[in-house]
Amino acid sequence: MTPFARNPAMDVLRGCAVLGILWMNITAFALPQNAYFNPAVAGPPSAADIAAWAISLILVDGKMRGLFALLFGASMLLLIDREEMAGRDGRRAQIIRAGWLFVLGCAHFFLLWWGDILRVYALVSLLALLFVGLEPFALVKRALLFFLLQFLLVASFIASLYAWSHAAAAPDAGASLRDGYAAFMAALANPASPGTLAEIATYRGGFAGILQHKLAGLPGDWLWGFLFTAFETMGFMLLGMAMLKGGFLTGRWDAEQYRRTARHCFLIGLPPMAALTLWVAWSGFAPLPAYGVALAWSLPFRIPLTVGWAALILWLLARHRSHWLVDRLAAAGRLTLSNYLATSLVMTALFYGWGLGLFARVPPAALPLFVLGGWTLMLAWSKPYAARFALGPAEWLWRSLIRGQPQKIRKSD
């Protein structure tokens, strides 16, 4: 199969997204799972730890994942159009594509990292097929509906935790109720909680123990993870379709339009995100504020900030197309799947017990150094590889599985 023509603007966006998502994922690679929501789970946070957490929460958390979903939704339309122009069934092609992506996501989850997002994208994209024929405004309306559903779901869950808190504090509360609540909250804030210590021991151990831990959590972990991300992912996919049809993602707007969009989106999203961050810090990183902000209360502001990041990147691209970094970001974007999976391989080898065993040994403030190292590797290898090969290793495997036969990987001389 001959590779389709690339869109440089979308490649740069993908490159920025795959770099940006490592900034947030590094916490989940290196520290107990609940440290993603609350830095206190990693131990009493220093000023530098708090600064790193605040930057991540305000600028990165959920925004790069949202950017990925925007681009995935847009890529669905591009695939369907390309297949139908070739006389094939575009929707069937997307279903097959999603099926093999789910398989790759399962392999990623079991063999490398619990935080895989490929499975969610694969499943959500099947439902997104119902909306591909809609006009941009209709897509935006439905995207907002899915965002609302996501917010109502997670807000209800956080509200149930507050109700549990009040019930456990009641004078007539039973011992099992109080103990259950205390254990749940300890896992969200106390680095010495039994659950956190058990998780540290697991991920400092060998591959077999880690795999057994993942299997023991099925299917509950998958179900909860899907419920807490699916509607938001759907919203961003539909928004990406609308933004593709409107020319936003392909770089067809002029630079001033991108600049104004970025400014408006950041003005909408940054002040409330900063206020939520201060609230969590002033609470002493109490579990309910920290968990609530990460999961629910930041959701309405992640949406404009995701769009703002896309607009800012495209504005900078419009002004600096000849900058040396543009080609390297575009190359990283062409190899998004390979870079995403390679990042998991490198980081789990650094932090898990079957590798160097640094899990829960590196303070949060030092984790950006690992991020910078990952960025350097992605930018260093992607451009020379993309100059010689039409597909990244993971992209080649995915496309070969979709087509049922090995695809051409080298570029024609």
Side-chain angles (χ1 to χ4, degrees):
M1 182 178 70
T2 302
F4 63 93
R6 308 289 311 198
N7 179 274
M10 292 183 66
D11 282 337
V12 170
L13 285 172
R14 288 189 186 95
C16 291
V18 77
L19 266 64
I21 204 168
L22 175 58
W23 180 282
M24 206 61 219
N25 285 351
I26 193 66
T27 301
F29 283 125
L31 299 171
Q33 185 172 348
N34 285 324
Y36 189 94
F37 307 110
N38 188 349
V41 175
S46 67
D49 293 336
I50 294 172
W53 162 80
I55 291 170
S56 299
L57 180 62
I58 295 171
L59 295 177
V60 185
D61 182 28
K63 292 80 174 176
M64 297 300 110
R65 187 174 66 245
L67 188 53
F68 261 137
L70 286 177
L71 294 164
F72 194 93
S75 72
M76 287 177 58
L77 293 186
L78 295 174
L79 170 73
I80 292 170
D81 287 348
R82 186 173 72 251
E83 292 295 303
E84 292 183 348
M85 288 179 65
R88 296 186 287 264
D89 187 336
R91 284 173 171 78
R92 179 178 181 275
Q94 173 56 35
I95 292 172
I96 295 172
R97 179 186 187 230
W100 283 114
L101 185 66
F102 184 81
V103 171
L104 292 175
C106 289
H108 180 220
F109 174 86
F110 287 115
L111 299 178
L112 291 175
W113 185 47
W114 61 264
D116 169 73
I117 60 171
L118 303 180
R119 294 163 297 121
V120 175
Y121 283 13
L123 294 175
V124 171
S125 70
L126 297 177
L127 181 58
L129 281 173
L130 299 174
F131 305 98
V132 295
L134 297 178
E135 294 299 315
F137 185 64
L139 286 167
V140 171
K141 288 196 297 184
R142 284 157 179 81
L144 294 176
L145 175 61
F146 280 108
F147 289 137
L148 176 61
L149 290 173
Q150 183 73 59
F151 180 77
L152 292 175
L153 175 65
V154 292
S156 298
F157 175 71
I158 298 300
S160 73
L161 296 183
Y162 277 99
W164 190 10
S165 171
H166 290 303
D172 59 345
S176 61
L177 177 63
R178 291 196 304 270
D179 292 346
Y181 176 77
F184 187 89
M185 290 297 114
L188 297 178
N190 185 358
S193 71
T196 298
L197 294 177
E199 184 180 355
I200 292 172
T202 296
Y203 284 95
R204 286 181 181 174
F207 177 82
I210 295 172
L211 178 59
Q212 184 179 5
H213 175 72
K214 293 176 183 176
L215 290 171
L218 297 179
D221 289 349
W222 278 20
L223 178 60
W224 282 107
F226 183 78
L227 286 175
F228 285 161
T229 57
F231 289 138
E232 181 180 358
T233 300
M234 172 66 79
F236 279 120
M237 284 188 183
L238 299 186
L239 200 57
M241 293 179 187
M243 294 165 75
L244 178 74
K245 292 183 177 185
F248 179 99
L249 290 179
T250 54
R252 283 165 41 194
W253 290 18
D254 62 52
E256 181 59 21
Q257 285 178 295
Y258 286 122
R259 187 192 70 81
R260 289 198 303 267
T261 301
R263 182 189 64 192
H264 293 157
C265 288
F266 282 114
L267 285 175
I268 292 170
L270 286 180
M273 281 302 306
L276 289 172
T277 302
L278 288 173
W279 175 42
V280 174
W282 282 335
S283 76
F285 297 97
L288 280 177
Y291 201 44
V293 166
L295 199 62
W297 315 135
S298 64
L299 174 58
F301 313 111
R302 293 202 295 264
I303 301 164
L305 287 174
T306 297
V307 176
W309 271 116
L312 177 62
I313 293 165
L314 291 171
W315 173 64
L316 292 172
L317 175 62
R319 290 173 56 88
H320 305 286
R321 291 185 184 276
S322 60
H323 195 279
W324 65 269
L325 189 56
V326 168
D327 286 341
R328 292 197 173 272
L329 287 170
R334 290 194 290 274
L335 307 176
T336 296
L337 183 60
S338 294
N339 277 316
Y340 175 69
L341 296 177
T343 295
S344 292
L345 176 60
V346 171
M347 294 303 164
T348 52
L350 289 172
F351 292 105
Y352 286 6
W354 54 262
L356 295 183
L358 297 178
F359 191 81
R361 301 184 193 275
V362 179
L367 293 179
L369 297 176
F370 291 85
V371 175
L372 292 176
W375 289 355
T376 301
L377 288 174
M378 280 189 271
L379 293 175
W381 88 280
S382 295
K383 184 177 179 181
Y385 181 95
R388 296 184 60 189
F389 296 95
L391 299 169
E395 286 79 6
W396 173 84
L397 175 61
W398 187 20
R399 196 169 295 188
S400 296
L401 290 170
I402 292 170
R403 293 299 186 194
Q405 60 183 9
Q407 299 297 293
K408 180 179 177 182
I409 190 169
R410 285 185 174 272
K411 289 185 175 180
S412 301
D413 295 331

